[in-house]
Structures are given as structure tokens and as C-alpha cells.
Amino acid sequence: MNAAERNNFVLIDQQRIEVNGEKSILELARKAGIDIPTFCYHSELSLYGACRMCVVEIEGRGVVTSCSTPPVPGMKILTNSPRVQRVRRTVLELLLANHDRDCTTCDKNGRCKLQELADRFGVRKIRFGERDEKLPLDESAPVVRDPNKCILCGDCVRMCEEVQGIGVLDFVNRGSRVMVAPAFNKKLQDVECVNCGQCSAVCPTGALVVKSEIDKAWAALHDEEKLVVAQVAPAVRVALGEEFGLPPGEIVTGKVVAALKRLGFDKVFDTCMAADLTVMEETAEFLNRIKKGENLPQFTSCCPAWVKYAEHNAADLLKNLSTCRSPQQIFGSVVKRHWAKKLGKKPEEVFVISIMPCSAKKFEAARPEFSVNGVRDVDLVLTTQELARMIRESGLLFDQLEVEAFDMPFGLTTGAGVIFGATGGVAEAVLRTAHSLLTCKPADEYANDGLFNFETVRGFEGLKEAVLEVDGLEVKVAVVHGLGNAKRLLAEVKEGKANYHLIEVMACPGGCVGGAGQPVATGGEAKKKRAQGLYSADKLSQLRKAHDNPAVARLYEQWLKKPNSSEAHKTLHTSYQMRGRITGEEITLLTSKQENKINLAVCVGTCCYLKGSYDTLKKLMEKAESEGVGDRINLHATFCLENCEKGGPSVRVDDTVVSGVTPDKVESFFTENILGKLKIPAESQ
Amino acid sequence: MGEVMQLKTGSEGIGVAGRRFTKVNEIIERHGRTPSALIPILQEVQEEYRYLPEEILTYIAVAMGLNPANVYGVATFYSQFSLAPKGKYVIRICDGTACHVRGSEKIKTALWEKLGLSDERKTTDDLRFTVETVSCLGACGLAPVVMINDRVYGQVTPEGINEIIDQIIAEEEGEKNAPEEN
Ligand code: SF4
Ligand code: SF4
Ligand code: SF4
Ligand code: FES
Ligand code: FES
Ligand code: FES
């Protein structure tokens, strides 16, 4: 036994490094300041160990993948030996040979890991053939998928499955035809993708990117007729600086405003103002539900990826979602339906562009319920990254811009709206206002007693809780981020194991600071710094409770009257629609060639299946047979009739959907809906 | 359309389609809903349908509580599974080294010509024949080798394979014209 072993040391490139519970050589080497290249390793995802980019050489063992090999005391490791160099280069060359190398027109150009590593390891020539096949792109959703750029690292597959708990993507085919795709190669808009974009955030190449809509922004900005209004989401101001060499978390609000003005925006407003309005509406709704004891727990509804997730997976809990629109949509409504009118403008003469950390916001803004007479409340959504690109395109030196203030009246904000950008922020903002309203004490009494801060809902723990006691009422709050965490909590709520009154859900790990539209942040560090940035901005704010926002107060005075008024309901609230989890062709079971026939479809989507729809289906078939009407029925099994919340199993009879056709109700259902319609009396057997 | 797709309805009992679908359920029930049962389930379901229709795969995903993407991934990974309908007779031409050297290519061309198939069109419209190539069937001594369903034919020639096909067609026609028994 040599000294190194006894002392729990390994040798990495001749340096003695102490092993301290590191799970892999990779992790240890990074701590020792050696940046081993990787494609398929992500600290927040499970080990995959397939790309072989991370190879090192261990004396006596040869070349191994460092991400999946634990360090053993006494090991002698080389991270840059000739053999290691050779393997890495071959890996890169093989990947590049199979890659559509159209870098100049690629969205990831300059941010692509493949490009970066090829450059870092000096790959100048590729000894293997070229990719001959060009597969079609999927541009149906805010996340654009280009299979020609995929290097099969599987990062997106694991992100969507492990962190988001959804599993939209997987490996398909084998051999040289392997690729990563949704089920049946469907488009992302046709599967249960919630547009969170987290897959694109980990994709090392241009195979998954957030759709760029910069051209539409320039077109609007260059259109003389249009009054172009910007709203800037909270998370943007603590991340945009990173694109220009500033540290994560640095608050660059003033520079963002200045940049937007220089790009030609007529007005630059703050989404945080709308967030304050959201807090007013959502708190009033919440207190009302508490009073009546109905639809609890109340779920927040600011995150459109979470909303879509709920629409796909939690039909029975949709009534528990707050009906408040998200700050982005509330802002759009306020500007188009109220502010424009005051200026004497029609909604279509004002063009609202939001600057968001988020890909799902693109989907949200396009939802039909957020248009009035064909005019969208929010015309266009740009991500933080898209804004950075526009700033670069226009040649502005971002870090040298003189700071400017938001325009009035919607530049007035409080700290409550600002913290919306971090996980726990919405809950904390609601708690602040709920607490004040319930205790009816003037705000300044709490100014220094810590009640502004609900520390327990802050931070990056998967599930956070807070309890607020006011006048004998114990209000329990839970906060989750990452849809995988939400999925687990939902299951507990459904089983009656979790008793909360308010649940905040943000789809992205860390909340919006970790949105897919933000600058690429490897590891959690940058996200944490951004969240800290938001909390310090909150601390520095003069006003820290939404109901103290004078701009919000004025909106109520002049327009909305009071929270949850009928005008507020019309313009600031919304409703949700059930969405099938699975879409698919129907399964044909009986076909009728007769003229006078009935079209029957039994839902075998997840909800209905769990309620026994298969047995319903079987009984229906048997019944059709025993009644001798099998040839007068077209019978299908179908996937989700989008009627789940009414209680399955659902059956569609011609054009009407009947709910609750459990197996034991088949008899009466058949007599009423089928024999009746076919004009066959029930007795005729 | 071939008889495979035809449905018997009315007094003759629930249609073939309905019966097959109930079979799928029996198969799932029998294996249980654990993810490890997926492959045997897919195998048996494929025996029922001769391929794995998309809607049935979707149904299996629902019934087993799996992501459809996973199920699709598994179904496309193993060469034994087919997501396109297959014919009643699946003809596998060996294209392993031994068979290749002994002219398997010519047999393939002959078959394609006879049945109007190609690399893209692997199955005849009447769902009677599917032509595929496979790697070494492990009978190299008999090269070139062709398998039709479970039967192995050795030292096949282009003429010989044509005869075999004609024979099958003749048998099929005979069966069709014979009075149906129940
Ligand atoms: S956008 Fe989100 S839900 Fe959609 S595939 Fe990517 S990670 Fe999954
Ligand atoms: S799409 Fe991107 S993240 Fe997903 S496997 Fe391909 S390269 Fe990796
Ligand atoms: S957490 Fe924020 S950034 Fe992420 S999807 Fe939701 S709203 Fe968008
Ligand atoms: S990073 Fe280790 S194998 Fe991919
Ligand atoms: S699963 Fe949605 S209606 Fe049946
Ligand atoms: S090569 Fe055809 S059987 Fe071996």
C-alpha cells in the first residue's frame, strides 16, 4: 500500500488530489481545476455515460469515461495523454461527420458545445464521410427540433423525463437510424409537451432551440404606424448582463430599459406592475376560497408551462387553479383594453412585445382566449437571449449604456412583483398581501418586523413550505419548481395526503430565473445568483407589497373598481381547458355499412381507462352482439374526449359526449342511447 | 383489401377487430403492468396483428401507464417489431456474407419484380407478402437462404423462389374458393 492510498489521495496529471466523497473522476477533476469536456454529463440528471467525450486514462486500466468512474484512492489518472487526446478527437470527428454542419445559419452558432469543443480540441479535418440525409425540422412549437443537428447525447430525454416528469422525447430506431423524437415522430405541438424549453436549455447543439421571432420584432419597430410597447419580466433584469460579460445576478434593469429605447420601443414598461395586479386578484380570490372553503388548495397560474401540464394531467384539479391570468397576459390586457383606450388608440394600433425568460410564454401569448376580435393582447414574445441578439445586432455597447427608468404609469412596481421571477416569489408576494389584508394593520407596522420576508419559501429546495397564522387561521403554503416535483406533490394532493391552502408551481427548476429563454446557465450556480439578485432588488424597493403599488391602486380606481370585480374577471381572469394526454388515431372495433347507424367512441385515455373504460367497451361490444345490432354501430376506442373533468368513462354517441358510463351503467346506457336511437325497443331480443 | 382487414359483424359475433382488441387486453392482463413486461407484450400483440399499429401502441402505453415515447422507442429499437403492416407470408432473404456471395441479391430482385415491391415498399397491397432482408440466418452451408414465415429454404435460385411463390398463391386461391367452414 503506497502513501497515496493510505491518505485517500489520487494522482491527477501528477497532482495529488484528495478524494472527498466525489462520485466520479470527472467531478473530482473539475474541483481540481481541470475542465474535462463532456456532452452527456449534467450534474442534475442521471448518468448516461454514452458520449465518451469525458475519457481519461487510468494507469493499469486504460481509457475510461470519467463521468461514470468513481475515484479510488491510489489511482493514477491522466486527463490529457496521447491516447485520451486520440479518443476525444475521434469522438468529435464521428459526431461531426454525422452532423449537419451548417453552423453559420444555426441558432446555436457561438453557443454550441459541439462547435466549442471541436475548436478547443483543434478538429480541423474530418476523416469520415458526411451526413447525406436531411430530415425535416419540427417548428410546430416554441421549441424547434432539428434532428439533423442531434448528437444523441440524451440530455433532453433525461431532462424531460427526470426533472420535468413528462417524458416527451425518447430514443427511437436503432443502428444508423437512431434519433431522439417524440412518440411516433409526432410534432411537439401534438404531444404533451408543455413548451418549458428545458430540453433546449441542456441541448449542447442546435438540435433543440427556442424559436426566434426577432424578424417580427424588427418589422413592428420599423412600422411607423404602430406604437410599440415593451414589457420586461422580472427574471430578465438579473440575467441579460451575462450575455455581455457581466456576472449572473447583476441587476441591469436600467440598462435593459435604455437598450429597449435605443432599439426603438415607444414605451418600456415593467411586467412587475402587472405582477402586483396579479397578486391583488389572486389574493382576493384566495381569501374568498378560504372563506368559503372551496377549491382548495389554490394553485398559482402564472407559469404557462405548469398550466398546460395541469391541463394535460390534472383535469380534476383544474378548478383549483387560480383563474388569474399570468402577469404577461394581465399586462397585455391592461395596455390593450384600458391604456390604449385612454390614449384614443385601437388595440390593433398598439403592438405589445414582452421580453421574457421563457419559451412557454410564446405559447401562452398565442392562446386563442388571449385575443379579442383577432387582436392579441400580447403580440410577440422575445426571450432574454433574443433581446441580447437584437442588442448585438444594433451595435449597442450594452455595458456602457446610461441607465434609464421605466416609463410611467406602468413602471411603478413593488418588491413583490420583482420576486415573481424566482421560485417562491409568487407565494411570498401573495402572503405579504394576504397577511396585511387579513390583519388590517397599516403596512408600516410591519416594515421592520420581518413579515415582509417569508424566508422558508425561498431557495432551491424541491419542495418548500410556509405556515402563516393570522387571527386563528393557519394558512399552509407549498412551493414547488420543476414539474417532476409538481407531479409528486399533485399525487399527494390527489391522495389527500397533502393539506395545503396555496400551492405555487413553476415549471422551470429555480423558477423563471432558470427559464429556457435565459442565457445558457450550466449548473445551478448562475440561477441562484439571479434569484439572489431579485431578492436584493426587492430589499432595495421602497414598496414591498403589491397593494401599496400606486399604479395598481389607480387602475382599480379608474377602471376595475375592486379585485375580482366583473370587469376584472372579464379582462384579468381566464379559464382552462382539458387537454388529452395522449393523442392518437382511433382504434376501429366495429364498422357498419348500413345507412341508419350510430357512431360510438369509447374513451380509453388515461383518466377514463383508470375508471374502467376498457370494461365499458367490452360490455358494449357484447351487448351489441347479444342485441343483434353489431352491424348498425361504428364502434371506436379513442384517446381522450377531453371530457375528463366530468368523470369518466366518457362515451361519444354521434356528436354528444356522455360522461360516467361505468361498466355497470352499460345496460341502461345501451337501452337509452343506442336501442332508443335505432328505434329498437329494449324487449326485442 | 385482403381478408385480414375484413370484419364480421352482426349475428356472426363481434368483429375480428373487436376480438383482436380484447386479445390485447388479455395479453396485458396476463403479463401484468410492469415495464419489464413490455417486450413480451409487444411480441404477442404483434402476433395478433402481424405488426404494431400506432393506435394499439398508444393504447398499450395508457394501459401500462408508460410514456408513449418510451413504448415507441422500444418498438422501434428491436428488429423483430414492425410498425408497418406485414403480409401473411413474411419472406426473409438472408443477406449475410455467405448468402450475399452466392447471389442473394438476384433472389431479392426476382422477388421484388414478381411481387411489385421495392426497398420502400416491403408489403404487397393485399397484405399477402412482405419481403425483407436479414443478416445471417445461421444456415450458411445452405446459402443462399430464404425463410418464409418459419420455413427455411436452402440453395434458392431466382427461378426456384418464383415457383415457391406461385405455389403459395395457388394454395391461397384454393383455400379462398373452398366452402367456408365454421
Ligand atoms: S419543452 Fe419541456 S415538456 Fe417539451 S419536450 Fe422539452 S422539456 Fe419536455
Ligand atoms: S436533441 Fe440535443 S440534447 Fe437531445 S439528444 Fe440530441 S443533441 Fe442531445
Ligand atoms: S417557470 Fe417561468 S420561465 Fe419557466 S416555463 Fe414557467 S413562466 Fe416560463
Ligand atoms: S460525459 Fe461521460 S460519457 Fe458523456
Ligand atoms: S381520458 Fe379524457 S375524456 Fe377520457
Ligand atoms: S449468410 Fe446467410 S445464412 Fe449465414
Side-chain angles (χ1 to χ4, degrees), chain A residues 161 166-168 170-174 183-186 582 585-591 604 609 614 617 621 625 639, chain B residues 7 10 13-15 17-18 21-22 25 33 54-55 57-59 62-63 67-70 72-73 76-79:
Chain A
E161 166 117 40
I166 307 176
V168 166
D170 207 341
F171 287 92
V172 302
N173 301 336
R174 64 182 169 275
F184 310 108
N185 260 323
K186 287 190 189 194
I582 285 188
E585 298 288 307
E586 304 196 323
I587 304 172
T588 307
L589 298 169
L590 294 175
T591 2
V604 290
Y609 181 81
Y614 171 70
L617 185 65
M621 283 197 277
E625 184 181 16
F639 296 100
Chain B
L7 300 165
I14 51 173
F21 184 63
T22 41
N25 271 280
R33 290 176 169 73
E54 179 178 323
E55 60 275 20
L57 286 176
T58 310
Y59 179 77
V62 173
N67 291 322
N70 291 155
Y72 181 61
T76 53
F77 181 79
Y78 294 97
S79 58

Side-chain angles (χ1 to χ4, degrees), chain B residues 6 16 27 30 38 42 58 69 107-108 129 133 151 154 169:
Chain B
Q6 236 152 54
V16 176
I27 294 168
R30 184 151 33 77
L38 180 59
L42 293 181
T58 310
I107 299 170
K108 186 170 78 183
F129 295 103
T133 50
R151 256 187 91 175
I169 295 177

Side-chain angles (χ1 to χ4, degrees), chain A residues 578 580 603-609 639-644 648 650:
Chain A
M578 182 52 232
C603 177
V604 290
T606 311
C607 303
C608 295
Y609 181 81
F639 296 100
C640 196
L641 293 166
E642 313 208 319
N643 184 49
C644 324
S650 304

Side-chain angles (χ1 to χ4, degrees), chain A residues 405-464:
Chain A
F406 280 115
D407 286 308
M408 290 301 153
F410 306 133
L412 272 178
T413 56
T414 71
V418 173
I419 57 173
F420 260 59
T423 163
V426 182
E428 181 164 346
V430 169
L431 284 177
R432 286 179 191 174
T433 290
H435 187 263
S436 301
L437 296 184
L438 281 173
T439 54
C440 299
K441 286 181 192 160
D444 52 55
E445 265 187 42
Y446 294 101
N448 295 311
D449 64 3
L451 272 173
F452 280 136
N453 302 335
F454 292 85
E455 299 277 354
T456 57
V457 294
R458 299 185 182 181
F460 278 54
E461 281 298 311
L463 168 74
K464 297 167 284 179

Side-chain angles (χ1 to χ4, degrees), chain A residues 517-683:
Chain A
Q518 297 277 63
V520 182
T522 30
E525 274 321 297
K527 294 179 200 169
K528 286 187 185 146
K529 295 243 169 65
R530 291 173 193 162
Q532 278 160 20
L534 290 177
Y535 287 113
S536 31
D538 165 42
K539 214 162 166 191
L540 294 173
S541 303
Q542 303 226 300
L543 304 171
R544 299 189 54 209
K545 292 175 174 178
H547 54 280
D548 294 335
N549 186 334
V552 169
R554 213 164 307 128
L555 284 173
Y556 280 113
E557 254 166 55
Q558 297 181 350
W559 177 41
L560 298 161
K561 312 289 182 270
K562 61 181 191 3
N564 297 355
S565 66
S566 64
E567 182 62 29
H569 262 285
K570 204 171 88 203
T571 46
L572 309 184
H573 289 247
T574 185
S575 57
Y576 306 104
Q577 74 180 78
M578 182 52 232
R579 289 173 200 264
R581 256 197 71 198
I582 285 188
T583 49
E585 298 288 307
E586 304 196 323
I587 304 172
T588 307
L589 298 169
L590 294 175
T591 2
S592 163
K593 297 202 181 73
Q594 308 236 355
E595 292 252 315
N596 178 11
K597 64 186 164 212
I598 288 185
N599 291 303
L600 266 191
V602 178
C603 177
V604 290
T606 311
C607 303
C608 295
Y609 181 81
L610 292 175
K611 295 209 170 107
S613 66
Y614 171 70
D615 291 322
T616 298
L617 185 65
K618 197 166 164 209
K619 284 216 167 133
L620 277 173
M621 283 197 277
E622 287 162 5
K623 193 83 177 112
E625 184 181 16
S626 67
E627 295 280 347
V629 291
D631 58 344
R632 300 192 55 189
I633 296 175
N634 272 338
L635 178 65
H636 291 97
T638 186
F639 296 100
C640 196
L641 293 166
E642 313 208 319
N643 184 49
C644 324
E645 79 269 36
K646 301 233 179 71
S650 304
V651 180
R652 191 180 57 217
V653 190
D654 290 330
D655 294 327
T656 44
V657 176
V658 184
S659 324
V661 190
T662 45
D664 56 309
K665 298 216 180 90
V666 166
E667 281 287 326
S668 58
F669 168 86
F670 203 89
T671 313
E672 226 169 277
N673 291 284
I674 296 169
L675 297 180
K677 271 202 168 178
L678 288 171
K679 309 233 170 15
I680 300 174
E683 305 80 57

